């Protein structure tokens, strides 16, 4: 785990630099870390359990996440170094190990076959098989051409939209349920199955957050791959081990706590500079020159419109921002203004006329994640340490 932790830390430092510079982390930069981490974790699981079934189960979970990413990006040619990896023709080549590894884990390599796992595997194979076939057929474009009635086409579109958007939730639940069965079943994995349960839930949540635009893509993959590569603490941290012993959860907690310092700093800067806005916005943004907004980083926090009386402006509410984030609409990003000014001529003209525009601060969350990883490995879980101190004081 020390080797895996070093690989993760070096990758996080480099990807943090990329995210600051370009606000983008190409997927290829995660793969070396993933290769090292998955190898080290597989060796650790084998050394501690001597269970080929458990190792295969762990690899099956990793393969499923990578295959889900492939399905999301199949045919993509703009991902640096991965045009061949995302080639459309490889779909069934990738599907084979995704289906074989769980079968090996749950049936072939297991000390004894648990018949309760059979329907879960059938559901797992059926979902991935159906989604892969529909993707191979080119749904929805080819499907809708064959429909004579718009209502029938719309119904099929809605059903398939639900399946393609939410199928991986079911896949994650299957991994969690089968791991629980392998935890308590006769001749099964025993306590080490908790690792697969925690990995399934934690990684599944952040994959779904990324799909719903509730979390940055690079940030979501960073947390997923930290969990996969270093699922347990490489050594006992200075403040002691957390109850779960699941490193990625402590990384997330530490990152969130450290990230709380940023809004406080922004608030103090706004107060010192005399910037005026509703109190909540003083913690999360600052005004910039409307003419220079393309040189800044962040999301526009105001709806600004031109009226007969001049310029009308109002701050975007928290819930409206969440709704827009989920829908992927009407969120003006300064990077888009810089890279595609021809698409935002109206907005740029209004921002220039407004004089100043409030934008959110744009420190990539991968930086707190990197700090959270380093502090979690060395010191441990800050929240658990605080709770232990409070409990001791009481």
């Amino acid at each position: 785990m020390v080797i895996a932790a070093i690989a993760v830390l070096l990758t996080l430092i480099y990807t943090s630099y990329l995210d600051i510079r370009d606000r983008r982390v190409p997927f290829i930069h995660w793969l070396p870390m993933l290769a090292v981490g998955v190898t080290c974790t597989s060796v650790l699981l084998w050394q501690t359990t001597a269970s080929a079934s458990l190792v295969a189960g762990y690899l099956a979970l990793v393969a499923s996440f990578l295959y889900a990413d492939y399905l999301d990006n199949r045919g993509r040619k703009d991902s640096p170094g991965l045009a061949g990896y995302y080639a459309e023709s490889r779909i069934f080549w990738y599907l084979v190990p995704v289906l074989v590894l769980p079968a090996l884990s749950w049936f072939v390599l297991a000390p004894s076959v648990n018949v309760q796992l059979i329907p879960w595997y059938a559901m797992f194979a059926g979902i991935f098989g159906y989604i892969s076939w529909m993707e191979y057929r080119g749904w929805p474009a080819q499907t809708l051409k064959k429909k004579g009635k718009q209502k029938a086409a719309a119904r099929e579109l809605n059903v398939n939209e639900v399946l393609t958007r939410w199928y991986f939730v079911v896949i994650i639940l299957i991994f969690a349920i089968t791991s629980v069965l392998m935890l308590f079943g006769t001749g099964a994995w025993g306590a080490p199955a908790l690792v697969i349960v925690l990995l399934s839930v934690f990684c599944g949540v952040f994959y779904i957050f990324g799909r719903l635009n509730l979390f940055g893509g690079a940030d979501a993959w960073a947390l997923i791959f930290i969990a996969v590569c270093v699922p347990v603490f490489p050594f006992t941290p200075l403040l002691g081990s957390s109850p779960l012993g699941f490193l990625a959860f402590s990384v997330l907690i530490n990152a969130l706590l450290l990230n709380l310092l940023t809004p406080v700093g922004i608030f103090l800067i706004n107060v010192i500079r005399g910037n005026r806005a509703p109190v909540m916005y003083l913690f999360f943004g600052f005004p910039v020159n409307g003419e220079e907004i393309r040189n800044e980083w962040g999301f526009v926090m105001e709806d600004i419109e031109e009226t007969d009386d001049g310029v009308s402006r109002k701050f975007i509410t928290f819930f409206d921002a969440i709704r827009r984030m989920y829908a992927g609409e009407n969120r003006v990003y300064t990077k888009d203004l810089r890279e595609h000014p021809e698409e935002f001529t109206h907005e740029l003209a209004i921002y220039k006329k407004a004089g100043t525009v409030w934008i959110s601060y744009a420190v990539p969350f991968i930086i707190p994640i990197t700090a959270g990883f380093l502090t979690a490995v060395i010191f441990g879980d800050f929240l658990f340490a605080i709770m232990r101190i409070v409990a001791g004081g009481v």
Side-chain angles (χ1 to χ4, degrees):
M1 287 296 92
V2 172
I3 296 174
I6 292 173
V8 169
L9 180 60
L10 293 176
T11 302
L12 288 174
I13 292 173
Y14 180 63
T15 52
S16 295
Y17 162 74
L18 291 178
D19 213 4
I20 293 173
R21 187 188 68 182
D22 304 326
R23 291 305 194 269
R24 182 169 180 248
V25 179
F27 194 77
I28 193 171
H29 294 299
W30 301 114
L31 298 184
M33 174 187 93
L34 188 63
V36 173
V38 169
T39 300
C40 291
T41 301
S42 298
V43 171
L44 175 68
L45 291 175
W46 173 254
Q47 289 178 339
T48 54
T49 67
S51 172
S53 172
L54 178 62
V55 175
Y58 164 73
L59 294 175
L61 181 63
V62 175
S64 295
F65 273 97
L66 291 177
Y67 188 60
D69 171 72
Y70 168 77
L71 291 178
D72 290 341
N73 296 281
R74 179 172 175 259
R76 183 175 178 179
K77 300 184 184 301
D78 63 342
S79 184
L82 293 179
Y85 172 77
Y86 288 127
E88 295 182 356
S89 59
R90 298 191 176 186
I91 184 168
F92 293 115
W93 289 102
Y94 293 154
L95 178 62
V96 170
V98 170
L99 299 182
V100 168
L101 283 170
L104 289 174
S105 174
W106 301 342
F107 306 116
V108 178
L109 299 176
S112 59
V113 177
N114 186 342
V115 295
Q116 291 178 295
L117 296 175
I118 295 176
W120 293 111
Y121 178 77
M123 187 182 302
F124 174 89
I127 291 172
F128 263 137
Y130 177 77
I131 295 297
S132 300
W133 176 247
M134 295 301 293
E135 177 69 28
Y136 176 75
R137 287 180 57 191
W139 179 90
Q142 295 180 6
T143 303
L144 295 181
K145 289 180 181 179
K146 299 178 182 179
K147 295 294 181 181
K149 297 181 180 180
Q150 291 185 351
K151 291 184 179 180
R155 283 196 298 270
E156 180 160 342
L157 179 64
N158 291 334
V159 170
N160 283 288
E161 274 187 332
V162 171
L163 287 172
T164 54
R165 192 175 182 88
W166 298 104
Y167 79 93
F168 205 65
V169 176
V170 182
I171 294 295
I172 291 302
L173 288 175
I174 290 173
F175 270 111
I177 292 169
T178 54
S179 299
V180 171
L181 292 174
M182 296 296 282
L183 171 65
F184 297 106
T186 304
W189 299 339
L194 286 173
V195 174
I196 309 299
V197 176
L198 292 172
L199 282 175
S200 301
V201 175
F202 184 89
C203 296
V205 166
F206 282 98
Y207 176 83
I208 293 165
F209 279 3
R211 284 293 305 273
L212 295 179
N213 298 315
L214 298 177
F215 215 73
D219 304 331
W221 282 119
L223 289 169
I224 290 170
F225 289 149
I226 287 172
V228 166
C229 294
V230 196
V232 296
F233 285 84
F235 47 79
T236 302
L238 296 177
L239 298 178
S241 299
S242 62
L244 287 177
F246 186 61
L247 178 62
F249 186 74
S250 296
V251 171
L252 175 62
I253 294 298
N254 286 10
L256 292 173
L257 291 176
L258 292 170
N259 202 41
L260 290 177
L261 299 176
T262 303
V264 175
I266 292 174
F267 175 79
L268 293 176
I269 291 173
N270 280 324
V271 171
I272 293 171
R273 292 180 177 177
N275 296 327
R276 302 185 65 180
V279 175
M280 182 184 72
Y281 298 94
L282 293 174
F283 284 93
F284 299 105
F286 48 86
V288 298
N289 189 320
E291 293 189 26
E292 304 295 330
I293 190 171
R294 289 194 297 167
N295 299 325
E296 305 290 343
W297 288 102
F299 287 97
V300 175
M301 300 174 66
E302 297 181 273
D303 282 332
I304 303 178
E305 299 178 354
E306 191 170 7
T307 65
D308 295 336
D309 298 327
V311 173
S312 171
R313 58 200 305 165
K314 65 176 181 178
F315 282 97
I316 300 171
T317 66
F318 174 77
F319 293 105
D320 194 35
I322 293 297
R323 181 190 63 77
R324 296 182 187 188
M325 186 184 301
Y326 172 76
E329 62 181 21
N330 295 329
R331 301 182 72 225
V332 180
Y333 188 22
T334 57
K335 181 180 179 181
D336 295 329
L337 298 177
R338 180 166 50 255
E339 295 182 350
H340 308 286
E342 70 284 353
E343 298 179 11
F344 297 93
T345 54
H346 177 67
E347 287 83 356
L348 288 171
I350 291 179
Y351 297 154
K352 182 178 180 179
K353 189 172 183 178
T356 60
V357 181
W358 277 75
I359 65 172
S360 62
Y361 77 92
V363 176
F365 190 62
I366 198 170
I367 295 176
I369 290 175
T370 302
F373 178 81
L374 186 61
T375 55
V377 170
I378 296 175
F379 299 103
D381 191 311
F382 286 165
L383 181 61
F384 176 67
I386 293 172
M387 292 174 62
R388 187 167 54 184
I389 291 172
V390 172
V394 174

mmCIF file of all heavy atoms in Angstrom, residues 32-48:
data_model
loop_
_atom_site.group_PDB
_atom_site.id
_atom_site.type_symbol
_atom_site.label_atom_id
_atom_site.label_comp_id
_atom_site.label_asym_id
_atom_site.label_seq_id
_atom_site.Cartn_x
_atom_site.Cartn_y
_atom_site.Cartn_z
ATOM 1 N N PRO A 32 -1.737 5.068 -15.371
ATOM 2 C CA PRO A 32 -0.547 4.510 -14.716
ATOM 3 C C PRO A 32 -0.754 4.290 -13.223
ATOM 4 O O PRO A 32 -0.369 3.237 -12.672
ATOM 5 C CB PRO A 32 0.533 5.568 -14.993
ATOM 6 C CG PRO A 32 0.071 6.269 -16.229
ATOM 7 C CD PRO A 32 -1.423 6.303 -16.121
ATOM 8 N N MET A 33 -1.354 5.275 -12.546
ATOM 9 C CA MET A 33 -1.660 5.134 -11.133
ATOM 10 C C MET A 33 -2.578 3.947 -10.891
ATOM 11 O O MET A 33 -2.391 3.167 -9.942
ATOM 12 C CB MET A 33 -2.317 6.413 -10.624
ATOM 13 C CG MET A 33 -2.828 6.357 -9.204
ATOM 14 S SD MET A 33 -3.780 7.841 -8.766
ATOM 15 C CE MET A 33 -5.435 7.307 -9.172
ATOM 16 N N LEU A 34 -3.565 3.796 -11.760
ATOM 17 C CA LEU A 34 -4.518 2.706 -11.603
ATOM 18 C C LEU A 34 -3.834 1.357 -11.773
ATOM 19 O O LEU A 34 -4.114 0.409 -11.022
ATOM 20 C CB LEU A 34 -5.643 2.863 -12.633
ATOM 21 C CG LEU A 34 -6.831 1.916 -12.499
ATOM 22 C CD1 LEU A 34 -7.547 2.139 -11.177
ATOM 23 C CD2 LEU A 34 -7.800 2.114 -13.664
ATOM 24 N N ALA A 35 -2.934 1.249 -12.744
ATOM 25 C CA ALA A 35 -2.218 -0.012 -12.964
ATOM 26 C C ALA A 35 -1.395 -0.396 -11.741
ATOM 27 O O ALA A 35 -1.408 -1.554 -11.302
ATOM 28 C CB ALA A 35 -1.328 0.112 -14.198
ATOM 29 N N VAL A 36 -0.687 0.585 -11.174
ATOM 30 C CA VAL A 36 0.130 0.315 -9.985
ATOM 31 C C VAL A 36 -0.759 -0.025 -8.791
ATOM 32 O O VAL A 36 -0.532 -1.015 -8.077
ATOM 33 C CB VAL A 36 1.019 1.533 -9.654
ATOM 34 C CG1 VAL A 36 1.743 1.324 -8.317
ATOM 35 C CG2 VAL A 36 2.031 1.767 -10.768
ATOM 36 N N GLY A 37 -1.789 0.790 -8.567
ATOM 37 C CA GLY A 37 -2.646 0.593 -7.399
ATOM 38 C C GLY A 37 -3.421 -0.700 -7.429
ATOM 39 O O GLY A 37 -3.521 -1.405 -6.405
ATOM 40 N N VAL A 38 -3.991 -1.059 -8.581
ATOM 41 C CA VAL A 38 -4.767 -2.298 -8.690
ATOM 42 C C VAL A 38 -3.861 -3.504 -8.500
ATOM 43 O O VAL A 38 -4.237 -4.485 -7.837
ATOM 44 C CB VAL A 38 -5.492 -2.359 -10.048
ATOM 45 C CG1 VAL A 38 -6.072 -3.745 -10.292
ATOM 46 C CG2 VAL A 38 -6.601 -1.312 -10.095
ATOM 47 N N THR A 39 -2.657 -3.443 -9.055
ATOM 48 C CA THR A 39 -1.707 -4.547 -8.865
ATOM 49 C C THR A 39 -1.349 -4.711 -7.395
ATOM 50 O O THR A 39 -1.376 -5.828 -6.854
ATOM 51 C CB THR A 39 -0.430 -4.298 -9.694
ATOM 52 O OG1 THR A 39 -0.774 -4.202 -11.077
ATOM 53 C CG2 THR A 39 0.565 -5.432 -9.492
ATOM 54 N N CYS A 40 -1.016 -3.606 -6.729
ATOM 55 C CA CYS A 40 -0.635 -3.670 -5.312
ATOM 56 C C CYS A 40 -1.795 -4.154 -4.444
ATOM 57 O O CYS A 40 -1.600 -4.970 -3.527
ATOM 58 C CB CYS A 40 -0.164 -2.297 -4.844
ATOM 59 S SG CYS A 40 1.397 -1.752 -5.563
ATOM 60 N N THR A 41 -2.989 -3.651 -4.702
ATOM 61 C CA THR A 41 -4.148 -4.073 -3.910
ATOM 62 C C THR A 41 -4.465 -5.539 -4.142
ATOM 63 O O THR A 41 -4.817 -6.265 -3.193
ATOM 64 C CB THR A 41 -5.366 -3.198 -4.247
ATOM 65 O OG1 THR A 41 -5.060 -1.839 -3.976
ATOM 66 C CG2 THR A 41 -6.577 -3.614 -3.420
ATOM 67 N N SER A 42 -4.356 -6.006 -5.366
ATOM 68 C CA SER A 42 -4.602 -7.425 -5.662
ATOM 69 C C SER A 42 -3.617 -8.303 -4.909
ATOM 70 O O SER A 42 -3.994 -9.341 -4.330
ATOM 71 C CB SER A 42 -4.496 -7.679 -7.168
ATOM 72 O OG SER A 42 -5.471 -6.947 -7.878
ATOM 73 N N VAL A 43 -2.344 -7.894 -4.897
ATOM 74 C CA VAL A 43 -1.321 -8.653 -4.163
ATOM 75 C C VAL A 43 -1.628 -8.648 -2.673
ATOM 76 O O VAL A 43 -1.515 -9.679 -1.990
ATOM 77 C CB VAL A 43 0.079 -8.069 -4.438
ATOM 78 C CG1 VAL A 43 1.119 -8.705 -3.519
ATOM 79 C CG2 VAL A 43 0.470 -8.276 -5.901
ATOM 80 N N LEU A 44 -2.024 -7.480 -2.140
ATOM 81 C CA LEU A 44 -2.362 -7.388 -0.719
ATOM 82 C C LEU A 44 -3.526 -8.309 -0.364
ATOM 83 O O LEU A 44 -3.478 -9.034 0.654
ATOM 84 C CB LEU A 44 -2.712 -5.944 -0.372
ATOM 85 C CG LEU A 44 -3.204 -5.708 1.054
ATOM 86 C CD1 LEU A 44 -2.070 -5.936 2.053
ATOM 87 C CD2 LEU A 44 -3.778 -4.306 1.217
ATOM 88 N N LEU A 45 -4.577 -8.291 -1.179
ATOM 89 C CA LEU A 45 -5.734 -9.146 -0.911
ATOM 90 C C LEU A 45 -5.345 -10.616 -0.946
ATOM 91 O O LEU A 45 -5.825 -11.420 -0.125
ATOM 92 C CB LEU A 45 -6.839 -8.863 -1.933
ATOM 93 C CG LEU A 45 -7.525 -7.493 -1.834
ATOM 94 C CD1 LEU A 45 -8.501 -7.302 -2.989
ATOM 95 C CD2 LEU A 45 -8.244 -7.344 -0.498
ATOM 96 N N TRP A 46 -4.474 -10.984 -1.874
ATOM 97 C CA TRP A 46 -4.045 -12.382 -1.964
ATOM 98 C C TRP A 46 -3.182 -12.767 -0.758
ATOM 99 O O TRP A 46 -3.346 -13.848 -0.185
ATOM 100 C CB TRP A 46 -3.281 -12.616 -3.268
ATOM 101 C CG TRP A 46 -2.668 -13.978 -3.342
ATOM 102 C CD1 TRP A 46 -1.354 -14.313 -3.210
ATOM 103 C CD2 TRP A 46 -3.371 -15.216 -3.519
ATOM 104 N NE1 TRP A 46 -1.182 -15.664 -3.300
ATOM 105 C CE2 TRP A 46 -2.404 -16.249 -3.499
ATOM 106 C CE3 TRP A 46 -4.711 -15.547 -3.703
ATOM 107 C CZ2 TRP A 46 -2.748 -17.588 -3.651
ATOM 108 C CZ3 TRP A 46 -5.050 -16.877 -3.856
ATOM 109 C CH2 TRP A 46 -4.074 -17.884 -3.830
ATOM 110 N N GLN A 47 -2.277 -11.866 -0.360
ATOM 111 C CA GLN A 47 -1.391 -12.162 0.769
ATOM 112 C C GLN A 47 -2.161 -12.283 2.081
ATOM 113 O O GLN A 47 -1.797 -13.086 2.949
ATOM 114 C CB GLN A 47 -0.321 -11.078 0.904
ATOM 115 C CG GLN A 47 0.733 -11.106 -0.196
ATOM 116 C CD GLN A 47 1.742 -9.983 -0.047
ATOM 117 O OE1 GLN A 47 1.485 -8.970 0.616
ATOM 118 N NE2 GLN A 47 2.907 -10.137 -0.667
ATOM 119 N N THR A 48 -3.209 -11.478 2.238
ATOM 120 C CA THR A 48 -3.945 -11.468 3.509
ATOM 121 C C THR A 48 -5.067 -12.501 3.564
ATOM 122 O O THR A 48 -5.487 -12.880 4.668
ATOM 123 C CB THR A 48 -4.539 -10.076 3.774
ATOM 124 O OG1 THR A 48 -5.332 -9.675 2.644
ATOM 125 C CG2 THR A 48 -3.425 -9.060 3.997
#
